[in-house]
Amino acid sequence: MIQEFRDRAVRDTSINVYRGLDILEDLSLDGVVCAEGAGLDTTKKCLDGTRMEILKDIVDWINDPAINVPRIFWLHGQAGRGKSVIAHTIALQYKSAGGICSIFCFARDRQTERREEMMLSTIVRDLANCDLAFQQAVVRAIKDNTLNLTHDVMRQWKELLKLLSEVSGGRVGNVIVVIDALDESGPKESREHIIEVLTEAASLPPNFRILLTSRPLADVMGALRDAQHVKAVSLDGVSAEQDVHMYVSKQLKDRPDIGAVEINQIVCRADGLFEWARLVCEWIGSDTADETIKKRFDDLMVPTSREGATPLDEMYVTVLNSIVVKRQKPLAQFRSLMQQILYTLEPLPMDALHAMRMHFPREGDHFNVSHILDHMGSLLSGITDHKIPIRLLHSSFHDFLTDQSRSGDYFVGDSGIQQELALASLCVLYEGLCFNICGLESSFLLNSEVPDLAERIKAKIPSQLSYSCLFWAKHLQATKFDPELAEHVKDILGNERILFWFEALSLLGVLGNAAPALSSASEWSQVSRLVGWWVPV
């Protein structure tokens, strides 16, 4: 399949090679805002030899020369079917073959970034970096002030159509945009304008294709299911047993006590869910002193007693049973830690989670988080390096934990967590903020003129302090007024520390966050009569 992409890319390059001659033009794209970490993840790709049928179906759609080919290929299905892996595989193959391709990924743990507002501007910048003609069109639009990529998604869409029309006429070959996990953009309101854009995609140039993945949510289904310019394919109806077998066989190859019979049993229980198969392979194959591989396999094969439980739910319960001792204290610590991970507004590394937890009000919450997290590598990323943010490997784990009917003893609610995070953030600010925190030699230099500023910030503003600077007010706003919490706010805003906070925000490049934070804190304080100490906003 990659050869099909490469053949067309070579032809496309030779026809458009003249575009590379205009090297004197300033091609800066600094005016185009993009979302960080929303692009291609090369680790997410199908195992060689798997998903061949659906990949071929997508490739054939991309290369279909018909003028009336559907502009959108919508791949949908329940959690764990492998939609994202397929999307990243297509993007990787097309980019590797020299094709013009952009991939934009939504993620549940990045919803506070409001990625939906930056989706099209990120795609514009990505495509511009892939194609000189499109880059020139974007730069000209910026210089002529005709490109205004604001947060207005529909305005962005019209600008994108205008730019595409300028460069599509002489192009041979297709431009591919992959939008992955639209269902993880946030609540329904976060994607209504994107859905509106997708319903208008019939007006795209004939060489433009959008590969979209999502769960079959009602709003997406209602808009796209019967649209003529959308080719909808459900992975729920695609048999993946052979592919799962190939995957499990490779991952558990040469493992003691795991032979052909055991692999067949695992594949049968997977029921076509790749995420389930991945979890099983990670869990069975992990090295622990407490359990043998045979014991883990036997535990996996025990029939569930929970009526209506999905295979993924069963797997999560099985894995957690091996991690968490079902006694009151270990369960309470697990719930508290997962509550912290789920409700922080930006993923934090293990060291930062631990540092903030030490300021939680209950003594029972002051424990070493590594004692739990070190055993959760099959469910979370960032476990092996205490400086890497901890993230859920799959959104279905979030759904499981936050639905008590599914998770039972492992249920994680939201009770009290906002107050705990607000308190922890304010305490971190109180301890960490100081005058000239990065030790700059001169106050007359712009931040951009300090050559080693990035290294200084990394050394002097740890993750928990950076997080607290950014989000203390958001957590505060989500709580009821509390006089004790108000005193902690006063400790930051009622003296010189407010200036230290301003400095830290400036160094982090987000000084604009100060005004809305102060405004929301002021509104929060108004419910009390004890506001005489308040710093005017």
Side-chain angles (χ1 to χ4, degrees), residues 367-532:
F367 57 86
N368 190 336
V369 300
S370 66
H371 292 164
I372 296 175
L373 294 179
D374 282 349
H375 303 286
M376 295 188 66
S378 60
L379 302 170
L380 306 171
S381 65
I383 301 302
T384 56
D385 187 336
H386 290 197
K387 302 298 182 183
I388 297 177
I390 300 291
R391 300 179 187 276
L392 274 62
L393 282 172
H394 200 271
S395 61
S396 60
F397 188 42
H398 177 284
D399 299 337
F400 167 81
L401 290 173
T402 55
D403 186 338
Q404 191 166 16
S405 66
R406 297 168 61 185
S407 50
D409 290 334
Y410 303 112
F411 170 66
V412 177
D414 60 359
S415 176
I417 185 60
Q418 294 297 339
Q419 182 143 353
E420 291 172 344
L421 290 172
L423 174 63
S425 297
L426 291 166
C427 290
V428 168
L429 291 178
Y430 184 84
E431 290 184 354
L433 291 174
C434 63
F435 174 73
N436 192 17
I437 190 169
C438 285
L440 303 182
E441 289 76 12
S442 172
S443 60
F444 294 97
L445 293 177
L446 297 173
N447 288 343
S448 59
E449 296 173 336
V450 181
D452 60 345
L453 184 60
E455 290 74 17
R456 294 191 189 211
I457 291 173
K458 186 176 181 180
K460 298 296 184 180
I461 306 182
S463 297
Q464 65 270 18
L465 181 55
S466 171
Y467 179 90
S468 299
C469 285
L470 289 169
F471 297 117
W472 68 267
K474 287 186 178 295
H475 289 303
L476 186 73
Q477 193 175 32
T479 70
K480 294 180 179 179
F481 183 86
D482 177 75
E484 183 178 349
L485 198 55
E487 286 300 316
H488 286 282
V489 177
K490 181 180 178 181
D491 287 340
I492 304 301
L493 303 186
N495 54 59
E496 64 184 0
R497 280 191 181 83
I498 189 173
L499 301 178
F500 303 159
W501 175 54
F502 288 159
E503 180 192 15
L505 289 177
S506 174
L507 291 166
L508 293 169
V510 289
L511 185 56
N513 288 20
L518 292 173
S519 178
S520 64
S522 179
E523 292 175 6
W524 176 84
S525 73
Q526 297 308 312
V527 300
S528 172
R529 297 175 183 176
L530 305 174
V531 294

Side-chain angles (χ1 to χ4, degrees), residues 3 27 33 41 55 83 121-122 179 195 251 259 311 338 344 358 390 447 451 467:
Q3 188 60 44
L27 296 179
V33 179
D41 182 349
L55 290 174
K83 302 182 294 294
S121 59
T122 303
I179 302 173
I195 291 176
Q251 297 301 315
M338 292 310 302
T344 48
M358 292 302 102
I390 300 291
N447 288 343
Y467 179 90

Side-chain angles (χ1 to χ4, degrees), residues 1-102:
M1 274 178 282
I2 195 170
Q3 188 60 44
E4 294 182 49
F5 285 148
R6 185 172 289 118
D7 292 343
R8 285 168 172 78
V10 169
R11 181 182 62 179
D12 195 20
T13 301
S14 63
I15 289 176
N16 296 289
V17 69
Y18 72 91
R19 293 171 176 168
L21 298 177
D22 190 5
I23 60 174
L24 299 178
E25 183 176 358
D26 178 12
L27 296 179
S28 173
L29 296 170
D30 292 342
V32 183
V33 179
C34 63
E36 294 185 8
L40 179 65
D41 182 349
T42 57
T43 65
K44 284 186 176 182
K45 58 182 179 179
C46 299
L47 179 68
D48 288 346
T50 64
R51 313 316 298 262
M52 297 300 290
E53 185 175 344
I54 186 63
L55 290 174
K56 185 178 186 305
D57 196 12
I58 297 172
V59 170
D60 289 345
W61 162 76
I62 289 174
N63 294 326
D64 190 338
I67 193 70
N68 61 343
V69 64
R71 299 295 188 265
I72 297 176
F73 191 114
W74 177 33
L75 189 65
H76 59 85
Q78 65 174 293
R81 289 290 181 187
K83 302 182 294 294
S84 291
V85 174
I86 292 170
H88 281 265
T89 299
I90 288 292
L92 178 61
Q93 289 183 351
Y94 203 70
K95 280 177 173 285
S96 298
I100 310 303
C101 178
S102 171

Side-chain angles (χ1 to χ4, degrees), residues 345-375:
L345 298 174
E346 181 180 276
L348 288 171
M350 198 180 301
D351 287 347
L353 288 169
H354 180 79
M356 293 195 70
R357 172 162 291 276
M358 292 302 102
H359 297 291
F360 279 20
R362 292 187 298 272
E363 189 68 27
D365 288 334
H366 301 170
F367 57 86
N368 190 336
V369 300
S370 66
H371 292 164
I372 296 175
L373 294 179
D374 282 349
H375 303 286

Side-chain angles (χ1 to χ4, degrees), residues 110-124:
R110 291 181 178 269
Q111 290 177 3
T112 58
E113 300 174 10
R114 300 184 67 85
R115 284 189 167 189
E116 67 275 9
E117 296 178 353
M118 297 180 282
M119 185 189 80
L120 288 173
S121 59
T122 303
I123 290 171
V124 165

